[in-house]
Amino acid sequence: MISQQLHQALVDCLGPEGVVSERTQLRTYEMDALTGHRQVPGVVVLPESKEQVCAVVRLCRDAGVPIVPRGAGTGLSGGAMPREDGVLIVLSRMRRILAIDPENQRAVVEPGVTNSAISQAVAAHGLYYAPDPSSQMVCSIGGNVAENSGGAHCLKYGFTTHHVLAVEIVLSDGEVVTLGDSVLDPPGYDLRGVFIGSEGTLGIATSITVRLLRVPEAVRTMVADFDTPARAGDAVTAIIEAGIIPAAVEMLDSLAIEACEDATGAGYTRGIGAALVVELDGPEAGIDESLAAVETLCRNSGASKIRLAESDHERALIWKGRKAAFAAMGRLAPNYFVQDGVIPRTQLGRVLERMAELASQAELRVANVFHAGDGNLHPLVLYNGSNPGESERAEKLAADIAELCVEYGGSITGEHGVGVDKACSMPKMFSADDLATMLEVRQAFDPAGLCNPDKVFPTPRLCGEIPGPYRPHPLEEAGLIERM
Amino acid sequence: MADPTVPGADVTRPTDLLQARDVMREGHERGAGLLICGGTTKLDWGRPPQGVERIIDTTGLDRLIEHDPGDMTAVVGAGMPLGQLQDRLATAGQWLAIDPPRNAPVDLLRVLPTTVSTRAPSLPSLSGQSSPDQAERTATVGGIFASNDSGPRRLRYGSLRELVIGMTVVLPDGTVARSGSKVIKNVAGYDLCKLYSGSLGTLGLVVELIVRLHPLPDTSRTVRVPAASNSATALVLALMASPLEPTAVEYNGDELFIRFDGSDVHTSEQSKRTLDLVASHQLDCALIPDEQQAALWEELGQAHAGGDGKSTLRIAALPSRLHAVTSMIRQVAEQARVDVALASHACLGLHTARLAGGGAAQHAALIERARARMGEIGGHVVVRSKISGLDELVDPFGPPPPSLSIMRRVKQRLDGKSRCARGRFIGGL
Ligand SMILES: Cc1cc2nc3c(=O)[nH]c(=O)nc-3n(C[C@H](O)[C@H](O)[C@H](O)COP(=O)(O)OP(=O)(O)OC[C@H]3O[C@@H](n4cnc5c(N)ncnc54)[C@H](O)[C@@H]3O)c2cc1C
Ligand SMILES: Cc1cc2nc3c(=O)[nH]c(=O)nc-3n(C[C@H](O)[C@H](O)[C@H](O)COP(=O)(O)OP(=O)(O)OC[C@H]3O[C@@H](n4cnc5c(N)ncnc54)[C@H](O)[C@@H]3O)c2cc1C
């Protein structure tokens, strides 16, 4: 609950149209795209400028009230889940493009601008913003910065952190600072790099300077059919070892193909073990040679059929099929949990086997779509929430799968973030000291602990009194000390 | 562990994580000052550290702990010399895609004027330990990371900051902390690797790095274009606006060098199209003969190296300001009567100015003027290597950024007793 006094101060500062406090309206903000975690916020504010963000943050600071930033609410880890006793700061009204410098290939935008809107705004200059989460039509650049979002084309071009040069932020004490610069290597610690991916726990981004890329001259897209995902994985390793860096390499397993075909009729072959989508881009010169090399490498790894997109239309259809994967799951089951674990590429075969074992033990089905180039899996755990106990079993299986990835040297999350969803799995990946060190950094940005509390780090509130067992201390792992 | 040959100064060379932890936390209670050094090639960057009681030599942490050619990742001890690492990776046709210049090792006497010892410690000759002779030291992976130095091919691959995906550090109180993982894509927890890249050893000891690798390219081709700085600038912008994908673009004030790496078809097609583009700018150009390329890139890279009795400045501006930076440097050099050689990573907007001749006062005057001019050009000037006397006259970092308050709190949180290279960093951190 928010005090009457704070509520009035917020209204004075933003006007009645900038403050949402009516119960039914508040409910539209109770969750992000992770639908299992809900909380009606104390109050929602819709600032239109940096000054308004600052003013709101100062009021919250003075009242000792937590703040939760929110962009478009497409997050898949509950990062924007509100607090009942907090203020949800929604940045979607701050959607101005502040500057475009086509010569130097940079743009400055407000945090509520959608990912696609940046590319649209600079398209006339032959430029675009490279990281492309599947949610790009809707998600905000502020959310992308907070999550260090990726996308299908990040294999060649990198993630959000590689494309954001500077971020202006409002700290939880109301101070405004810019991290990074539009020129490279500003002196001092790279706080920009620390802020990106901090999931709204270090401050609120109010303006973002992005790097733009030249739209590639040529694009080639193909789909290769394989018996098993492991074989498709071998092909990926062979391609990358050959020095070819495709723009994107995506994989769908048989269950995912089934769902995507039902939903879009994109032309994937039903009944095969795995489909590999490989996209090359770059200068026209040499691209067909690279394509031929990729084809050969796929065949050498056992591809049974290879289809080249003959037209832009066909290419768009292939991507429509791939990007519809999450939505298409509705055809296989009423509900699903999406996981986001990452594994070393070469472990793909073994991890998928273990995953299948876990799934059959839990008596649930798991479909897989993934960013195969960088080993980022998106297992979709299918379930029917109306069957008693099934959603709990599914949630447990999803967490087991994330932790399986850590066992194979990977990560619990490649792009969706930790949020509330995976906070309790963090001890599997990090020791108590690792997390304590991160918390020291959090304190440096947000000493009062008001900025998006209860996210990312395991707390008794989220995970019970004992969040561990933690990953062993590195000295234990190395056999140099024993558990004390 | 005190070095018997150096009264008052401890030099320790840990060889594993346990020793590294113990060495770091020893003397923590009383806040004993530390200086971490690897190849010692960058020890004069930043301000001279104060109150150094112990030198931690990282060259014992020099193992290639893991190399996974299939996943193209490696786990490397921070004290491993880069050259050694590259040799090992090359056997699998891979490399850590960085090409920073080689600097000569720095004389410790110059860096440690305020050490408790009356004589400066020398790094070799540790009793019973085989520390490399100082003159033979070369840059370590950890040192390059901690100084975030980079070379021409940063244009394509990014700097080491972009290639480090995980790390283990020891904080001054002995806390061992990891961040990142062995996979390229990972957003679990804060990316503390970013914090340590460029931190100049002021936040703790980096013990291990996990790095992303690349395949060694089959071929390289380079186009040379003689061009005055205004036409070079126009060409650089045209190149950026074109579909070409150069791996490096260097400018030395007279000539532009455009490099492509990759398959034979790729580099030959790209260089051909570059020749066309250059011709459309009414400039001459030529393809560098294959056998001359290695030496040429060695020279272009080394044009950014520090040391050798010169002061070195790193200037950053937008790529479109190439001409502006070039003319500004010429003017301030003339005014200060100092010889300046400028080398530019043109598409990155990063420039190295090497100042030769003249004394510290003249170098300081030049730096002041250059900083004043950067106001209108946009960007900054950081001093790297310095001739003696310059430390007393200029702040190597220039005016502190607005985020200094957070940087101070970060330093306070991770090195509360200010033990690690006290005073070296920006704002005296
Ligand atoms: C169908 C679908 C497909 C998706 N595909 C991908 C994909 O391919 N790749 C990928 O990486 N993600 C994907 N996502 C996840 C999601 O779209 C991204 O995480 C996105 O970046 C979230 O942006 P948002 O604006 O919706 O942020 P929100 O969901 O509103 O917020 C996300 C987090 O960012 C914080 N935040 C938001 N704005 C700010 C700000 N201005 N300052 C500070 N913190 C802020 C919030 O507190 C929260 O912690 C997908 C989601 C869906 C629903
Ligand atoms: C192919 C190739 C070969 C090269 N060969 C050479 C060469 O032969 N000789 C050469 O001099 N350079 C070489 N270089 C590299 C380089 O340009 C720099 O010299 C390098 O950046 C500095 O590293 P260093 O180990 O000398 O660091 P130092 O000068 O010892 O340290 C630099 C800074 O980092 C800190 N630091 C060092 N190690 C750590 C650590 N583990 N944890 C925390 N902080 C730390 C120090 O306190 C200091 O502030 C080469 C580069 C390439 C691409």
Side-chain angles (χ1 to χ4, degrees):
Chain A
M1 287 307 291
I2 292 298
S3 74
Q4 192 51 43
Q5 197 188 352
L6 176 59
H7 186 264
Q8 190 54 49
L10 292 169
V11 173
D12 290 347
C13 155
L14 301 177
E17 65 291 343
V19 181
V20 179
S21 40
E22 203 274 309
R23 180 87 189 164
T24 48
Q25 284 180 359
L26 284 178
R27 292 201 60 152
T28 57
Y29 295 99
E30 67 183 354
M31 60 188 186
D32 56 16
L34 180 78
T35 53
H37 295 254
R38 294 167 199 233
Q39 172 63 58
V40 178
V43 66
V44 173
V45 294
L46 303 161
E48 292 182 343
S49 66
K50 164 176 83 182
E51 290 71 23
Q52 287 192 342
V53 174
C54 270
V56 168
V57 169
R58 290 201 176 115
L59 289 171
C60 294
R61 172 200 64 191
D62 294 344
V65 164
I67 52 178
V68 177
R70 176 182 165 114
T74 68
L76 286 166
S77 53
M81 194 176 88
R83 295 257 305 207
E84 189 186 12
D85 60 350
V87 175
L88 186 73
I89 303 181
V90 178
L91 296 137
S92 55
R93 285 194 183 169
M94 290 180 62
R95 50 200 318 149
R96 282 175 304 167
I97 307 261
L98 300 174
I100 298 173
D101 176 355
E103 260 189 351
N104 292 298
Q105 307 183 338
R106 283 149 166 84
V108 185
V109 301
E110 287 189 332
V113 174
T114 62
N115 174 296
S116 320
I118 303 177
S119 293
Q120 279 156 23
V122 300
H125 303 288
L127 300 171
Y128 77 115
Y129 175 68
D132 61 335
S134 303
S135 51
Q136 68 190 136
M137 303 290 287
V138 193
C139 66
S140 72
I141 185 72
N144 291 177
V145 166
E147 301 286 10
N148 188 17
S149 298
H153 290 79
C154 288
L155 177 62
K156 176 165 176 184
Y157 296 108
F159 315 109
T160 302
T161 187
H162 301 120
H163 297 271
V164 168
L165 293 163
V167 192
E168 177 194 74
I169 65 168
V170 176
L171 291 167
S172 66
D173 65 0
E175 194 193 342
V176 183
V177 286
T178 299
L179 313 177
D181 194 356
S182 58
V183 304
L184 298 185
D185 297 346
Y189 299 127
D190 182 14
L191 299 178
R192 170 211 66 88
V194 177
F195 184 84
I196 295 171
S198 63
E199 305 194 29
T201 60
L202 299 182
I204 300 181
T206 48
S207 132
I208 294 141
T209 304
V210 298
R211 214 160 64 87
L212 304 168
L213 296 187
R214 164 91 206 169
V215 175
E217 185 179 37
V219 186
R220 299 285 186 277
T221 309
M222 56 174 257
V223 183
D225 296 356
F226 290 87
D227 292 350
T228 64
R231 290 216 150 168
D234 293 344
V236 177
T237 299
I239 293 166
I240 293 174
E241 272 183 345
I244 300 168
I245 310 277
V249 185
E250 300 283 305
M251 200 191 298
L252 293 84
D253 74 357
S254 54
L255 207 49
I257 293 171
E258 212 57 43
C260 293
E261 274 306 301
D262 287 351
T264 62
Y268 290 98
T269 314
R270 290 177 193 262
I272 55 169
L276 196 65
V277 180
V278 183
E279 185 158 287
L280 299 174
D281 73 10
E284 192 67 56
I287 196 165
D288 286 316
E289 286 77 3
S290 301
L291 188 71
V294 169
E295 254 191 89
T296 310
L297 292 166
C298 284
R299 290 207 193 281
N300 292 348
S301 302
S304 53
K305 184 181 134 199
I306 290 178
R307 172 165 73 108
L308 276 183
E310 301 290 350
S311 63
D312 286 345
H313 172 73
E314 201 177 340
R315 166 172 317 110
L317 200 58
I318 291 172
W319 279 111
K320 188 175 167 203
R322 161 62 187 90
K323 294 202 173 182
F326 294 0
M329 289 304 142
R331 294 173 183 264
L332 298 179
N335 311 94
Y336 68 88
F337 283 114
V338 56
Q339 268 304 352
D340 180 38
V342 191
I343 52 164
R345 213 170 30 231
T346 52
Q347 303 294 325
L348 187 65
R350 255 180 288 170
V351 172
L352 288 178
E353 255 168 48
R354 290 276 309 275
M355 207 188 288
E357 280 165 31
L358 289 173
S360 79
Q361 278 160 24
E363 294 174 28
L364 290 167
R365 287 190 301 167
V366 177
N368 267 300
V369 288
F370 35 93
H371 306 302
D374 38 35
N376 187 190
L377 312 176
H378 288 319
L380 296 141
V381 177
L382 308 174
Y383 69 99
N384 183 347
S386 53
N387 293 343
E390 204 164 304
S391 86
E392 290 76 17
R393 239 163 55 227
E395 195 170 2
K396 165 96 177 36
L397 174 59
D400 287 348
I401 290 174
E403 293 173 9
L404 176 69
C405 295
V406 177
E407 203 183 308
Y408 282 84
S411 168
I412 54 173
T413 174
E415 56 183 18
H416 296 164
V418 176
V420 289
D421 183 39
K422 299 179 213 59
C424 304
S425 294
M426 287 288 274
K428 289 283 178 313
M429 206 169 148
F430 297 107
S431 72
D433 281 353
D434 300 342
L435 294 176
T437 304
M438 292 180 195
L439 282 168
E440 292 291 342
V441 173
R442 174 161 164 49
Q443 292 266 322
F445 278 80
D446 176 24
L450 290 177
C451 215
N452 213 4
D454 286 326
K455 307 288 163 67
V456 183
F457 299 98
T459 60
R461 183 178 157 132
L462 284 173
C463 314
E465 282 308 319
I466 306 156
Y470 286 93
R471 175 179 172 185
H473 190 280
L475 287 172
E476 261 182 273
E477 280 183 354
L480 290 167
I481 57 169
E482 282 173 14
R483 181 150 284 210
M484 287 150 280
Chain B
M1 277 192 260
D3 178 348
T5 66
V6 185
D10 256 354
V11 182
T12 357
R13 186 167 174 270
T15 55
D16 65 26
L17 183 58
L18 186 60
Q19 287 181 13
R21 186 204 52 185
D22 292 346
V23 162
M24 286 297 282
R25 74 177 175 194
E26 210 180 289
H28 182 67
E29 280 310 308
R30 59 188 173 83
L34 293 173
L35 180 66
I36 300 163
C37 53
T40 71
T41 68
K42 296 275 159 55
L43 283 183
D44 59 341
W45 290 24
R47 306 169 187 216
Q50 308 294 309
V52 174
E53 288 180 39
R54 161 166 297 176
I55 293 173
I56 297 183
D57 178 359
T58 67
T59 58
L61 302 160
D62 60 349
R63 274 170 315 133
L64 176 57
I65 297 154
E66 254 178 70
H67 173 205
D68 200 326
D71 288 310
M72 295 195 153
T73 54
V75 185
V76 191
M80 186 167 199
L82 179 64
Q84 246 176 53
L85 174 66
Q86 302 289 33
D87 290 346
R88 295 278 298 274
L89 300 174
T91 58
Q94 298 181 352
W95 70 311
L96 174 60
I98 53 170
D99 57 350
R102 289 184 314 280
N103 290 348
V106 170
D107 180 0
L108 280 168
L109 187 61
R110 277 202 33 229
V111 186
L112 297 173
T114 50
T115 167
V116 291
S117 152
T118 42
R119 279 170 53 203
S122 60
L123 279 183
S125 66
L126 289 178
S127 44
Q129 296 179 33
S130 58
S131 169
D133 231 38
Q134 200 184 342
E136 284 160 24
R137 282 172 183 261
T138 61
T140 58
V141 180
I144 297 168
F145 179 65
S147 52
N148 195 30
D149 198 16
S150 57
R153 281 181 281 174
R154 173 172 179 177
L155 181 60
R156 160 56 63 82
Y157 301 101
S159 68
L160 188 49
R161 178 179 59 200
E162 276 78 46
L163 300 173
V164 166
I165 55 177
M167 128 195 123
T168 306
V169 294
V170 182
L171 303 185
D173 66 358
T175 301
V176 178
R178 279 168 305 201
S179 157
S181 75
K182 280 184 201 160
V183 287
I184 292 165
K185 198 174 184 186
N186 167 31
V187 297
Y190 298 154
D191 187 355
L192 296 189
C193 301
K194 297 288 187 293
L195 192 59
Y196 280 81
S197 98
S199 64
L200 290 179
T202 58
L203 294 176
L205 173 68
V206 180
V207 174
E208 256 173 55
L209 291 169
I210 310 177
V211 292
R212 175 183 189 171
L213 307 174
H214 284 81
L216 282 164
D218 297 340
T219 62
S220 308
R221 284 189 165 79
T222 303
V223 175
R224 177 209 306 262
V225 188
S229 62
N230 48 3
S231 35
T233 307
L235 183 58
V236 163
L237 294 174
L239 205 56
M240 286 169 62
S242 80
L244 296 163
E245 297 178 336
T247 36
V249 178
E250 290 291 307
Y251 185 60
N252 64 10
D254 299 313
E255 294 168 306
L256 199 64
F257 297 89
I258 306 159
R259 169 175 178 153
F260 298 94
D261 290 283
S263 69
D264 190 41
V265 184
H266 174 85
T267 58
S268 81
E269 289 295 332
Q270 296 253 322
S271 51
K272 258 186 229 141
R273 290 182 59 176
T274 305
L275 299 179
D276 294 344
L277 179 74
V278 175
S280 76
H281 279 242
Q282 272 82 49
L283 293 167
D284 289 332
C285 59
L287 203 59
I288 302 285
D290 261 1
E291 67 282 4
Q292 290 172 21
Q293 281 206 83
L296 171 70
W297 282 97
E298 166 72 17
E299 187 188 323
L300 291 171
Q302 284 304 106
H304 294 269
D308 287 348
K310 298 188 177 82
S311 299
T312 315
L313 316 184
R314 170 44 63 96
I315 303 168
L318 289 171
S320 63
R321 309 304 276 160
L322 176 64
H323 172 60
V325 170
T326 311
S327 353
M328 178 275 284
I329 279 293
R330 280 187 188 140
Q331 287 160 17
V332 297
E334 215 161 276
Q335 287 163 348
R337 296 210 185 80
V338 174
D339 289 331
V340 180
L342 190 71
S344 304
H345 304 307
C347 290
L348 292 168
L350 292 174
H351 314 262
T352 307
R354 294 199 293 174
L355 282 48
Q362 282 160 286
H363 288 201
L366 183 149
I367 293 161
E368 294 296 321
R369 285 206 174 92
R371 282 193 172 139
R373 295 284 302 279
M374 285 313 282
E376 115 244 355
I377 294 171
H380 58 257
V381 178
V382 170
V383 185
R384 291 185 158 181
S385 310
K386 288 156 285 182
I387 59 167
S388 40
L390 193 52
D391 271 320
E392 287 78 60
L393 300 174
V394 291
D395 182 333
F397 300 102
S403 54
L404 183 65
S405 56
I406 312 178
M407 293 180 193
R408 181 164 291 129
R409 293 200 295 263
V410 168
K411 170 81 176 174
Q412 173 67 33
R413 286 270 157 197
L414 298 179
D415 180 18
K417 300 192 176 189
S418 193
R419 296 181 61 206
C420 296
R422 181 177 308 152
R424 162 180 281 171
F425 209 53
I426 194 161
L429 297 182

